[in-house]
Amino acid sequence: MKKTLTLLFALIAMSLTAQHTISGTFSPAKEYTWLIAYQLKPGTQVYVADTKIEDGKFKLELPANAAVGTYRLVYAVPQEEFNFDVLYNGKEDIVLNFNAQDGATYATSTENKIVNSYFLEINALQKQVIDFYTSNSTNKKELAKLYNKINSTQAKYEADAKDLIALNFIKANKPYVASSFESIYEFVEHKKQNYFSAIDFKNKQLQASSFLTDKTLNYVYTSLPLNKITKDATETVLQQNIQTVASKLEGVNDTFKFSLFYDLWIYAASAKYNKTSDFIYSNYLKEIGAVTNNQELIKGIEAHTRLRIGAKAPEITWSNGKNSLSKLDAAENYVVVFWSSTCSHCLKELPQLNKAIQQYSSVKVLAVGLEDEYNYWDTESAKLKSFTHALALGKWDNKYAELYNISATPTYFILDKDKRIVNKPETYKEVLEYLNKK
């Protein structure tokens, strides 16, 4: 009996610490070589494991103590773009097949199969509602039948997902269904009003996934009036949408808040919604960033803002303040280049730019030398007679290296006649290409 109990306890201990795997295929095989797994946590992610993809096949062993939740599988760089998420319940091995066109499909995994099936089915039904309205149909019975189908599908999946992690996402995604026939304008307005009705922003499973970020980005940047409006009016609506999101985040931890607002900022900045990106920064990110110790990201935001296209170029002074960028003689364009006399690329590119720029009488070049010492710069700058020169000692520690966010030399900025940034070319050839188009 004693031996039997010992064996039983050993089997129980083994089952409690069972190690599970994520395995499967990537196709086409030759395009994929490595896979990295991260566990998602609210507002962040933690490395878990990695493995080779050989001949399109992989097997990723998760630690025995791997937590239940969402895991991000990264298969290429940049990591932010080439990844997909999987649900792991701590009880099953996961077998999947991936290709860029269809994404991940699951041969084995109760959690992921039901989530994939749900979103495919419910999204198709919601598309039918949109198609109904865009076709200008007034068939009330047809629309009511569609809504009934959505309700029954939602209820079925919620029942099927009982006790699964997947239930968190299925319930939170519950679509808006009108109680009676509505015009397209009423439908859009009510859909927007009820967009977050099923979502609990404090839910840790939702926070530790891409779900809330994707839903929030979709709400902020697509919940716009049906009629065409100006960019300024669009940005006003976007900021109202962001305020709505902020109201839903009351009581949510600051780490997740910062992550969500940062993603909203990235989208606004990429889309050149400058008023909106500034609104997000000044009203949310700046304060939350200080609390969550995200100073580096805040510095990056501030650098982007002062150096974005259309921004007035930050002032540069030299010769003990006697000369400055703002006081340079009038020109149609200015080229500001940060370089170093010990940079081989600079010594190759700048003499060619120096020669070519002589053809442009309406263009002036300010060459800012980021240097450790004076001697080399004095010799090399003397060879570049078409340029105006400024010396910035301290190299990477010089204030202008930080002000202009310089991480490599040469770095170019092209300014217009008002000294606003109009282009940020990567090579002197791109400088000339821009000037030739003028």
Side-chain angles (χ1 to χ4, degrees), residues 177-206:
V177 172
S179 57
S180 60
F181 184 84
E182 299 176 328
S183 71
I184 186 171
Y185 294 99
E186 291 171 325
F187 168 74
V188 169
E189 181 60 28
H190 292 156
K191 184 177 173 68
K192 181 175 181 178
Q193 290 174 359
N194 290 277
Y195 189 88
F196 294 116
S197 295
I199 295 176
D200 176 9
F201 277 88
K202 295 180 183 178
N203 182 305
K204 298 299 182 183
Q205 290 292 346
L206 299 183

Side-chain angles (χ1 to χ4, degrees), residues 1-68:
M1 174 64 77
K2 187 174 181 181
K3 289 183 178 179
T4 303
L5 288 174
T6 301
L7 179 60
L8 178 60
F9 290 142
L11 289 173
I12 292 172
M14 286 177 64
S15 66
L16 290 174
T17 59
Q19 189 169 31
H20 291 287
T21 62
I22 303 175
S23 62
T25 64
F26 276 76
S27 61
K30 63 181 180 180
E31 293 186 8
Y32 304 96
T33 59
W34 205 268
L35 192 66
I36 306 173
Y38 295 91
Q39 180 196 352
L40 298 188
K41 294 186 176 183
T44 188
Q45 62 184 30
V46 178
Y47 167 83
V48 173
D50 62 81
T51 189
K52 286 183 179 180
I53 303 173
E54 297 183 288
D55 298 324
K57 298 177 182 179
F58 75 96
K59 186 174 183 179
L60 188 75
E61 293 192 358
L62 296 174
N65 62 348
V68 169

Side-chain angles (χ1 to χ4, degrees), residues 24 41 60 84 102 120 132 163 237 285 292 294 324 364 402:
K41 294 186 176 183
L60 188 75
F84 59 93
D102 302 321
L120 283 171
F132 173 89
D163 300 326
V237 176
L285 284 176
T292 56
N294 276 294
S324 65
K364 295 188 180 300
E402 180 176 353

Side-chain angles (χ1 to χ4, degrees), residues 170-414:
I170 292 170
K171 289 181 70 173
N173 191 64
K174 185 177 182 179
Y176 166 71
V177 172
S179 57
S180 60
F181 184 84
E182 299 176 328
S183 71
I184 186 171
Y185 294 99
E186 291 171 325
F187 168 74
V188 169
E189 181 60 28
H190 292 156
K191 184 177 173 68
K192 181 175 181 178
Q193 290 174 359
N194 290 277
Y195 189 88
F196 294 116
S197 295
I199 295 176
D200 176 9
F201 277 88
K202 295 180 183 178
N203 182 305
K204 298 299 182 183
Q205 290 292 346
L206 299 183
Q207 287 183 7
S209 74
S210 61
F211 178 85
L212 288 179
T213 300
D214 292 343
K215 291 286 285 188
T216 303
L217 284 168
N218 184 65
Y219 173 80
V220 170
Y221 293 105
T222 67
S223 298
L224 300 169
L226 291 175
N227 54 304
K228 190 174 182 179
I229 58 177
T230 65
K231 185 177 181 182
D232 281 345
T234 297
E235 295 217 54
T236 297
V237 176
L238 293 179
Q239 290 166 39
Q240 291 170 349
N241 291 348
I242 290 164
Q243 288 175 314
T244 298
V245 171
S247 71
K248 303 296 180 182
L249 292 173
E250 291 182 8
V252 174
N253 73 79
D254 287 331
T255 299
F256 178 74
K257 277 186 185 179
F258 183 88
S259 175
L260 187 58
F261 281 121
Y262 186 62
D263 284 330
L264 290 170
W265 179 87
I266 288 173
Y267 191 99
S270 300
K272 295 183 171 56
Y273 288 130
N274 293 339
K275 292 180 180 178
T276 301
S277 62
D278 291 348
F279 175 84
I280 295 169
Y281 169 71
S282 60
N283 287 279
Y284 307 106
L285 284 176
K286 187 175 183 180
E287 180 179 350
I288 302 172
V291 173
T292 56
N293 198 31
N294 276 294
Q295 288 93 335
E296 286 304 311
L297 289 179
I298 292 298
K299 284 174 64 176
I301 291 171
E302 292 172 345
H304 169 88
T305 301
R306 66 175 174 266
L307 299 173
R308 68 191 175 199
I309 301 301
K312 190 88 169 182
E315 179 68 295
I316 301 171
T317 63
W318 62 98
S319 300
N320 295 320
K322 295 177 182 178
N323 298 308
S324 65
L325 173 61
S326 61
K327 294 178 182 177
L328 280 180
D329 293 342
E332 284 299 308
N333 284 106
Y334 302 86
V335 177
V336 179
V337 55
F338 290 86
W339 71 295
S340 173
S341 61
T342 57
C343 160
S344 59
H345 288 295
C346 301
L347 298 181
K348 180 180 179 181
E349 289 197 14
L350 265 61
Q352 297 182 71
L353 178 61
N354 177 69
K355 181 178 179 181
I357 209 71
Q358 296 174 33
Q359 304 173 34
Y360 302 88
S361 58
S362 62
V363 177
K364 295 188 180 300
V365 178
L366 173 61
V368 182
L370 297 174
E371 304 290 344
D372 287 319
E373 56 184 51
Y374 174 84
N375 293 339
Y376 290 113
W377 174 82
D378 186 41
T379 302
E380 295 299 333
S381 62
K383 300 175 185 177
L384 306 171
K385 299 185 183 299
S386 300
F387 299 170
T388 297
H389 289 280
L391 176 61
L393 291 173
K395 205 162 186 176
W396 307 118
D397 293 327
N398 187 276
K399 64 179 181 179
Y400 295 122
E402 180 176 353
L403 191 62
Y404 277 82
N405 199 32
I406 306 301
S407 59
T409 53
T411 294
Y412 301 93
F413 296 87
I414 300 179

Side-chain angles (χ1 to χ4, degrees), residues 152-173:
S152 62
T153 300
Q154 181 71 27
K156 174 186 179 298
Y157 275 101
E158 287 188 18
D160 290 347
K162 184 181 179 182
D163 300 326
L164 298 180
I165 304 171
L167 183 61
N168 293 279
F169 302 93
I170 292 170
K171 289 181 70 173
N173 191 64

